Amino acid sequence: EPEVTQTPSHQVTQMGQEVILRCVPISNHLYFYWYRQILGQKVEFLVSFYNNEISEKSEIFDDQFSVERPDGSNFTLKIRSTKLEDSAMYFCARRQSIMNTEAFFGQGTRLTVV
Amino acid sequence: AQTVTQSQPEMSVQEAETVTLSCTYDTSESDYYLFWYKQPPSRQMILVIRQEAYKQQNATENRFSVNFQKAAKSFSLKISDSQLGDAAMYFCAYRSADDMRFGAGTRLTVKP
């Protein structure tokens, strides 16, 4: 199973600061997702990204969030001004094509906002 | 958005016994995939088993099997001969071409 690498594995930030979470892609994987999981609870969908564009986003994904894949490199999730309630595990997932593969998850980034 | 429901927040099974985790989903799509993911304390999401909606035959992976009832939109996971290492959170997931959603999870405890 192809590995998905997320960096950092753990980040502590002060409320109001900007954070960038990174997901290392595989070149032929076209679909990317970000999910978050608060305190071991349910896995919440944030955003999906295809062909360098957001294809779908949830209500959670407000103006504080943004995603990009600059120059075809890392797929990033940016939180502009973190809030305490942003503390969670953030998972990147990716898949190769529309239907014939499952999504592969990264190991997650634990974000702690203090 | 599609919805995925796991009605059992917690389940417990005796080692070597069999346990079934329930999952139902709601969709208007005819072509989709269903998955069970395991999340151990390490927090990694590990694929356990997957089922293509167009296949009538239930997927099986060693001790893990599913009971896929397409008309009822039900997708349960059966774990046979449960082992201590099976203890984890289990998430049911639905995926169509544009969408992937998870259930709320079931925490499985395995008693020695």
Side-chain angles (χ1 to χ4, degrees):
Chain A
E1 178 177 305
E3 288 190 4
V4 182
T5 302
Q6 287 184 240
T7 59
S9 57
H10 189 191
Q11 180 154 0
V12 180
T13 188
Q14 286 195 327
M15 190 171 56
Q17 295 296 305
E18 175 183 283
V19 295
I20 298 177
L21 312 182
R22 292 182 173 81
C23 179
V24 179
I26 300 296
S27 60
N28 63 342
H29 283 234
L30 303 176
Y31 296 82
F32 298 89
Y33 308 82
W34 282 103
Y35 294 87
R36 77 174 185 188
Q37 184 183 35
I38 297 175
L39 291 177
Q41 296 176 13
K42 63 180 179 180
V43 181
E44 298 175 306
F45 169 74
L46 293 178
V47 65
S48 59
F49 190 84
Y50 169 68
N51 200 26
N52 293 319
E53 289 184 352
I54 291 175
S55 54
E56 188 178 359
K57 60 183 180 179
S58 71
E59 293 178 353
I60 302 170
F61 196 87
D62 60 22
D63 292 341
Q64 293 298 314
F65 292 89
S66 62
V67 290
E68 63 178 4
R69 194 180 178 197
D71 303 321
S73 60
N74 293 351
F75 177 52
T76 63
L77 173 69
K78 181 190 292 185
I79 308 175
R80 291 189 180 83
S81 179
T82 50
K83 303 184 288 289
L84 295 176
E85 53 265 36
D86 292 328
S87 295
M89 283 289 289
Y90 287 82
F91 290 98
C92 164
R94 52 165 181 76
R95 60 187 172 97
Q96 182 175 9
S97 61
I98 292 178
M99 289 304 292
N100 67 346
T101 60
E102 66 271 15
F104 298 98
F105 282 84
Q107 80 281 15
T109 293
R110 181 182 298 278
L111 176 65
T112 302
V113 182
V114 297
Chain B
Q2 317 303 336
T3 58
V4 180
T5 302
Q6 291 179 249
S7 59
Q8 306 153 316
E10 295 185 354
M11 290 286 284
S12 178
V13 63
Q14 204 72 33
E15 193 176 6
E17 297 295 312
T18 296
V19 65
T20 298
L21 309 184
S22 301
C23 174
T24 59
Y25 58 95
D26 180 29
T27 183
S28 57
E29 302 283 343
S30 59
D31 199 7
Y32 51 88
Y33 284 72
L34 297 164
F35 307 89
W36 278 97
Y37 283 90
K38 173 184 178 181
Q39 188 183 45
S42 67
R43 310 306 297 273
Q44 176 71 345
M45 298 284 276
I46 302 167
L47 178 66
V48 174
I49 197 165
R50 72 172 183 176
Q51 174 81 42
E52 294 89 340
Y54 64 85
K55 289 186 177 179
Q56 293 185 338
Q57 186 174 6
N58 289 326
T60 299
E61 287 287 340
N62 300 316
R63 297 182 295 107
F64 298 87
S65 61
V66 298
N67 182 6
F68 173 47
Q69 302 290 327
K70 190 172 184 178
K73 297 179 182 175
S74 171
F75 181 62
S76 60
L77 174 69
K78 186 171 80 171
I79 306 174
S80 304
D81 186 25
S82 298
Q83 300 175 0
L84 295 177
D86 294 333
M89 283 287 289
Y90 286 82
F91 291 95
C92 176
Y94 161 98
R95 180 168 69 74
S96 62
D98 299 321
D99 196 13
M100 184 168 184
R101 305 291 166 147
F102 289 82
T106 297
R107 182 175 300 282
L108 178 66
T109 302
V110 182
K111 298 179 180 178

